Amino acid sequence: MGCGTSIAVENQTHPSETDGSIRQPSPALTIKAAILIQRWYRRYVAHLEMRRRYTWNIFQSIEYAGEQDQLQLSSFFSFMLDNFTHMNGNGPDLISHLLDSVVDPLTEEVRQLKYEQIVVPESYCGPRLSFPLSVTDTNALLSAFKEEQTLHGKYVLQLLYETKKFLKQMPNIIYLSTSYAKEITICGDLHGRLDDLLLIFYKNGLPSAENPYIFNGDFVDRGKKSTEIIIILFAFLLLYPDHMHLNRGNHEDHIMNLRYGFTREVMQKYKTHGREMLQLLQDVFSLLPLATVIDNKVLIVHGGISDKIDLDFLSTVERHKVKSALRLPKRSVDHLNVHANIRSSSRQSGRSRLDSPCSSGRTSRASRRRKKHITKQGSCSSSSSSSSSSSSVCSPRVSSRNTSRRPPPSPSLPSPTDVLQVPFLDSFVSLEPPEPPRDELERQQVVDILWSDPKNQSGCSPNSFRGGGCYFGPDVTQALLQKHGLCLLIRSHECKQEGYELCHNGQVITIFSASNYYEEGSNRGAYVKLGPELVPRFFQYQVSRSTRKLTLHQRVCVAEGSALRALKEKLYAHRSDLMAAFQQYDIDNTGRISTSEWAQVVESVLRLDLPWRTLRPRLARLGADGNVEYESCFEDISPGEPIPPVTPNLAETLYRYRTDLEIIFNIIDKDHSGQISIEEFRQTWKLFSSHLGVAVNDQTIDDMARSIDFNKDGSIDFNEFLEAFRVVHKLVIKEQQQG
Amino acid sequence: MADKYSADTIITETQKRISNAFDVFDHESNKTVDVREIGTIIRSLGCFPSEADLHDIIAELEEEEPTGFVRYEKFLPTMTKILLERKFRPITEDLLLQAFEVLDQQKKGHLEPEELTKYLTQEGEPFTQEEMDEMLSAAVDPDKNVILYKDFFH
């Protein structure tokens, strides 16, 4: 392209300045060229920023939706527990150990002796801890974990036991002072990311008397090194009890751990002692302090606050009683026998969220508010057992934080399908005395502290996005800080792109320490330091796997790709519901509907509050007439090769609940062999599907079970079974093939 | 069924696009966005305004007493007008290539990082250091350490 043309074209925007001089474009022309490039580049960056932003929204929506799904799992556990006698005499042992506060049959001395007597083989070359711990021990642990070694189960048990003893003496709220140290460092969520913890220690130094730390909860789940993280944190806790402080997070909760990976990690790494460790951890987690206060001025809690929080009341709460935010019935074998004759079956817990209109048959069952008693024969039963709490994670939630698109279903009378036709003991829960109001208030305080999020709107409302805790506005913050003479609230719980964020006029700091939380390059991690002047200083970092720095474009692409794949899997998992809804709009059966209609369907079925119209080009194709070819949004995904012969509908259901089933199987598989008996499989699946309201007849289950049992020895390798219900992203495969 | 190409439909579709883009940045779900994100939203809808253009638009959109937030009710009509009138048209690849060529005074066929930096941080509507660094990280050929601008275009 010659310069003559160049100048002539430039005439569009301004009169030509020169007569085609090649060597020296006029200053005005240079300026014009520069502006052009700048305009173009800024538009390019804005486009990337839009993609980055909706990628973020996707990850966050799916994450929070997953947390809400937790309700389903816990309500299923209640359900299973209610029906456990049907489980072939595996009975109370099946799940109750997860739910009961097991009264420790061993005395302290006996337990301590028991651990001491565990033999560590000579061949073990990892750290050997000796209590009380010394710096040698913590250094040994850090080196070992950097080398990817695993600490022997004996030491883990001893460590957990010592930690439990230690935490028992701690109050709910710990008061600290900056006067003895230069600065206190506060870290947020780590979620099993050992690299981030090591990076923090590298940048900021190890905990010590001169270098105190507060870790603000969520040490475990999601990441792969949760065990290593808590070992390190607890070790430092015992070593420097006055300079190392841990607050409880909402993931320090054994029910959450079942779903988000910590339980699985422990079981996999510690086949012999894992179960006992998890038992201990239940107690340890519930004994973690709830809050820290610095200089009587700065309050640090994991989630946030509500308009009900009162620090004086909070300090009297029996925190160890709140084992999990997900409320489940307390039970023991005794109750069983005593109340064997009671016919009524009411459920204390198992509240659930509003269901999408499309989930097959679940609506009636799950939408009941459990204040009413559901009886088999329709006869009335005795005492009420349930009390509702708006801050409990189990409370029925408004469908989305945006608008209530559907009114909450009114409590309905039980329909015949709600009651399983199995001859078994009815639940004895109804005989539980109602939780006294004080217990209820205590629980509410704890859940609010662990689950709430700040919002910019005034007031305090139930946190429908999460299903627990509250949204609290700047007025709530102001009120609480004023009430207790505080000036700052530091909390974590939410991932932030820069690792930290201020809100409520600088009165609230969110600090998040797991970098690349959603995906490589998705966000930075950060920690904050406070000195005697209480002026926060922020430090950011990002763990990076690649040595070459990725450009903004590359980072966005990687994160976006991952988010879109997750979204496509969601579409796939709800294919039949989506197709049914699409077809309702497509009366003439053209295979196409308008973008609006497509967006509406997807939003209502998936119940994810995302910018669907903006996302459409990445998910579905347009036809020649500008309408959406709705089947194209399933094109990229195909099922793996399912081993058992199942109908597409069943495959879809199995795919959708893969995670839940995996958790359940792992619990049933007491000896961690990876195998469960066919009978156990049948029972579990039957209960699960009736709980979900999925109609699967016995024959199908039997066929499925038998076909999975390859060597016909009566047991199923459930990992293989679940593997079959993975999906494959065709585009990714193509990319990989193209190299 | 309505004619899909009627003026009304076009306006509605346009407005839905605007609403969608706005929602991405509406963190509180209360139909407001931070005024600093307006530029990003407008650009992501396909427009190429200059900084000066944005200045004018924002002045229009802000409240009498600036709150730092822009409300959707104000944004929608302004943005609809911009899109329907096709203001701030895209910069074609041809034009962009020519712009690079203008800056490439010695007609080398490429630009040195220092050259580009000088122009873009001193002329026109100057880049911040961060913008410049980011652009260089994407644009500079790592082997030759120059900006082979012709390669950006087909």
Side-chain angles (χ1 to χ4, degrees), chain B residues 116-150:
Chain B
L116 191 63
T117 303
K118 187 186 74 177
Y119 285 125
L120 297 182
T121 57
Q122 291 173 17
E123 308 279 6
E125 293 177 326
F127 274 171
T128 62
Q129 190 57 47
E130 207 186 315
E131 281 175 306
M132 195 66 239
D133 288 345
E134 190 58 58
M135 185 182 191
L136 287 176
S137 76
V140 173
D141 180 295
D143 300 320
K144 304 192 182 126
N145 204 34
V146 292
I147 294 130
L148 302 163
Y149 59 83
K150 291 195 201 268

Side-chain angles (χ1 to χ4, degrees), chain A residues 38-39 53 596 613-614, chain B residues 13 16 20 27 48 125:
Chain A
Q38 287 154 347
R39 267 172 63 199
R53 206 58 78 95
S596 285
R613 298 176 70 90
T614 312
Chain B
E13 289 297 310
K16 285 192 182 154
N20 231 196
H27 305 300
F48 286 69
E125 293 177 326

Side-chain angles (χ1 to χ4, degrees), chain A residues 6 10 21 80 109 113 133 149 157 166 202 211 248 252 258-259 312 359 402 461 498 619 696 725:
Chain A
S6 150
E10 281 289 348
S21 148
M80 263 180 87
E109 294 76 31
L113 195 58
L133 294 176
Q149 287 176 342
L157 286 169
F166 171 76
Y202 177 71
N211 195 15
R248 187 178 183 185
E252 274 70 56
L258 278 172
R259 187 177 181 83
D312 301 319
S359 27
N402 233 346
S461 52
E498 293 301 315
L619 298 171
V696 181
F725 295 96

Side-chain angles (χ1 to χ4, degrees), chain A residues 4-60:
Chain A
T5 333
S6 150
I7 290 166
V9 171
E10 281 289 348
N11 279 338
Q12 282 176 351
T13 49
H14 73 101
S16 77
E17 293 282 338
T18 78
D19 58 358
S21 148
I22 295 170
R23 291 284 158 195
Q24 298 296 330
S26 72
L29 193 55
T30 312
I31 293 174
K32 288 291 175 186
I35 292 191
L36 211 68
I37 296 175
Q38 287 154 347
R39 267 172 63 199
W40 169 83
Y41 180 74
R42 283 173 171 136
R43 195 266 156 175
Y44 167 77
V45 167
H47 197 52
L48 280 184
E49 178 62 22
M50 170 63 96
R51 285 166 67 190
R52 179 160 91 159
R53 206 58 78 95
Y54 69 57
T55 298
W56 188 266
N57 288 355
I58 293 174
F59 279 130
Q60 221 170 28

Side-chain angles (χ1 to χ4, degrees), chain A residues 15 181 219 323 385 429 487 628 655:
Chain A
F219 320 124
K323 291 271 186 291
S385 58
V429 189
C487 68
V628 179
Y655 177 72

Side-chain angles (χ1 to χ4, degrees), chain A residues 95-280:
Chain A
I95 314 195
S96 61
H97 66 273
L98 292 174
L99 307 173
D100 280 339
S101 306
V102 174
V103 176
D104 195 343
L106 305 173
T107 62
E108 281 210 12
E109 294 76 31
V110 175
R111 186 170 281 280
Q112 217 152 350
L113 195 58
K114 177 180 154 195
Y115 295 152
E116 273 165 37
Q117 286 174 341
I118 298 176
V119 175
V120 180
E122 282 298 312
S123 54
Y124 170 75
C125 49
R128 291 172 190 254
L129 304 180
S130 60
F131 295 85
L133 294 176
S134 66
V135 175
T136 324
D137 294 305
T138 46
N139 286 342
L141 286 171
L142 288 167
S143 312
F145 293 152
K146 282 178 192 158
E147 304 290 315
E148 315 257 347
Q149 287 176 342
T150 305
L151 182 66
H152 192 275
K154 165 179 178 159
Y155 304 116
V156 181
L157 286 169
Q158 289 182 315
L159 179 66
L160 291 177
Y161 185 65
E162 294 297 318
T163 307
K164 175 177 167 178
K165 276 199 311 195
F166 171 76
L167 288 175
K168 267 191 184 161
Q169 316 157 38
M170 290 279 117
N172 295 343
I173 306 177
I174 307 215
Y175 289 84
L176 298 178
S177 162
T178 54
S179 56
Y180 299 115
K182 287 207 299 286
E183 278 176 313
I184 300 182
T185 307
I186 300 139
C187 301
D189 296 27
L190 285 169
H191 280 302
R193 310 294 168 101
L194 184 60
D195 286 345
D196 286 89
L197 181 60
L198 295 175
L199 187 51
I200 294 172
F201 285 163
Y202 177 71
K203 280 171 71 95
N204 196 49
L206 295 178
S208 69
E210 295 78 42
N211 195 15
Y213 274 87
I214 300 172
F215 285 90
N216 201 15
D218 277 11
F219 320 124
V220 301
D221 279 337
R222 299 190 196 277
K224 303 260 186 300
K225 302 270 179 133
S226 302
T227 339
E228 283 75 14
I229 294 220
I230 50 154
I231 291 171
I232 293 174
L233 293 180
F234 292 161
F236 277 111
L237 182 69
L238 295 175
L239 183 57
Y240 297 114
D242 298 322
H243 309 291
M244 177 77 167
H245 308 280
L246 306 177
N247 284 344
R248 187 178 183 185
N250 65 310
H251 276 263
E252 274 70 56
D253 177 330
H254 65 287
I255 306 287
M256 291 293 277
N257 300 150
L258 278 172
R259 187 177 181 83
Y260 291 101
F262 181 48
T263 309
R264 191 191 312 141
E265 183 188 322
V266 173
M267 296 299 221
Q268 279 173 353
K269 285 181 177 160
Y270 295 100
K271 297 214 168 9
T272 319
H273 300 294
R275 203 159 274 263
E276 188 160 2
M277 283 178 202
L278 291 169
Q279 280 287 337
L280 269 173

